[in-house]
Amino acid sequence: MATLNSRRTGRRLAADAGLLVVAAAFVLPLAWVILSALDPHADLRVKAPDSLTLNNFDAVLTPEITFTPLLNSLILCGAGTLLTVVCAALAAYPLSRFRSRFNRPFLLTILFATSLPITAIMVPVYALFVQVNLIDTTQGTILFFAASQLPFAIWLMKNFMDGVPKELEEAAWTDGASAFQSLVRIVLPLMGPGVAVVTVFSFVVMWGNFFVPFMLLLTPDQMPASVSINDFFGNRGTVVYGQLAAFSVIYSTPVILLYVVVARRVGGGFALGGAVKG
């Protein structure tokens, strides 16, 4: 018995040690960003600053460095996310509510499309955008953002939509509601957490995407923050790590705020039991 307990204790200690290593891999970069943003002499080391300063934030809070790229990012990612959520809801509804022999092949095609690396299709996409005059346009980049996120968004939306009882819609249809009205007034409100998950996931992926806007946008004034952050490593000469960290903190703020706004909604559950019983 003592030998068995010692083995279990050893396994727990090994598991805890592994988890600590994994946690450190995530915590140390975050600690470097926060500490370096406030350090007047920041470098690549994770260390407590000798003195605190906000000069790094003052240096990057300019229209050229921060405000314009962040506005471009909000426009691209906000519009792309809205388009993705709307199209995913419209596409997932017939897959969830109507049975067809084409449903399974279509879902398998969607699942396959989610595994395609974005770099594998950028060359033909670039050539296509040049031919249709969408290169170096905000609307073209938004369309591609939405198209690239749509397969996984449809997959997620369909799974959440399956959890909404169809009996609620049938009652609405009896009262004369159309399928679109039941989707908008019944299904989507009841699957609010699912819509929130798709929204956050799509926005976060678009927000951190460097390659797509780098390839499709050519004008510097149209570049989002995910691309302009690259300037700290080249066009501005020597890397000023404090300013890079300060920009990273500002760049991360919209994603954190979006997560905080929808966190309660996502954790609230569907609360469908009373609706079905009533």
Side-chain angles (χ1 to χ4, degrees), residues 19-240:
L19 291 175
L20 287 175
V21 172
V22 174
F26 286 93
V27 171
L28 288 178
L30 179 61
W32 178 87
V33 169
I34 296 175
L35 295 175
S36 298
L38 301 173
D39 191 348
H41 308 291
D43 53 28
L44 288 176
R45 295 175 297 173
V46 180
K47 59 183 179 67
D50 298 329
S51 60
L52 300 179
T53 180
L54 295 177
N55 291 337
N56 293 324
F57 290 94
D58 291 336
V60 300
L61 287 175
T62 63
E64 179 186 4
I65 299 177
T66 299
F67 296 132
T68 299
L70 278 181
L71 178 61
N72 293 337
S73 292
L74 289 173
I75 293 174
L76 289 174
C77 301
T81 300
L82 178 62
L83 185 60
T84 299
V85 172
V86 172
C87 293
L90 295 176
Y93 183 75
L95 292 173
S96 175
R97 289 301 187 255
F98 304 107
R99 302 302 176 188
S100 171
R101 61 177 180 173
F102 299 107
N103 281 13
R104 181 175 175 81
F106 185 74
L107 288 174
L108 291 176
T109 303
I110 290 176
L111 185 61
F112 172 75
T114 61
S115 63
L116 288 176
I118 198 71
T119 54
I121 61 174
M122 281 310 300
V123 172
V125 167
Y126 183 88
L128 174 64
F129 272 44
V130 170
Q131 294 180 358
V132 298
N133 295 323
L134 285 178
I135 198 71
D136 196 27
T137 62
T138 300
Q139 59 269 28
T141 307
I142 291 172
L143 289 174
F144 186 75
F145 263 150
S148 61
Q149 294 303 314
L150 196 54
F152 193 67
I154 294 175
W155 184 270
L156 277 179
M157 194 79 74
K158 191 262 181 188
N159 289 332
F160 280 109
M161 200 171 289
D162 287 342
V164 180
K166 192 175 181 180
E167 291 79 5
L168 299 175
E169 289 185 87
E170 292 175 347
W173 294 339
T174 303
D175 293 336
S178 63
F180 181 78
Q181 289 174 330
S182 65
L183 170 65
V184 174
R185 298 180 181 180
I186 298 176
V187 177
L188 292 181
L190 289 176
M191 56 173 290
V195 176
V197 168
V198 175
T199 300
V200 172
F201 177 83
S202 301
F203 186 87
V204 170
V205 173
M206 294 179 192
W207 188 262
N209 195 305
F210 168 84
F211 193 65
V212 170
F214 180 77
M215 289 290 295
L216 300 182
L217 296 175
L218 307 177
T219 306
D221 292 340
Q222 291 185 329
M223 292 296 179
S226 60
V227 177
S228 66
I229 195 174
N230 185 57
D231 293 341
F232 287 96
F233 298 95
N235 297 341
R236 304 186 190 281
T238 304
V239 178
V240 182

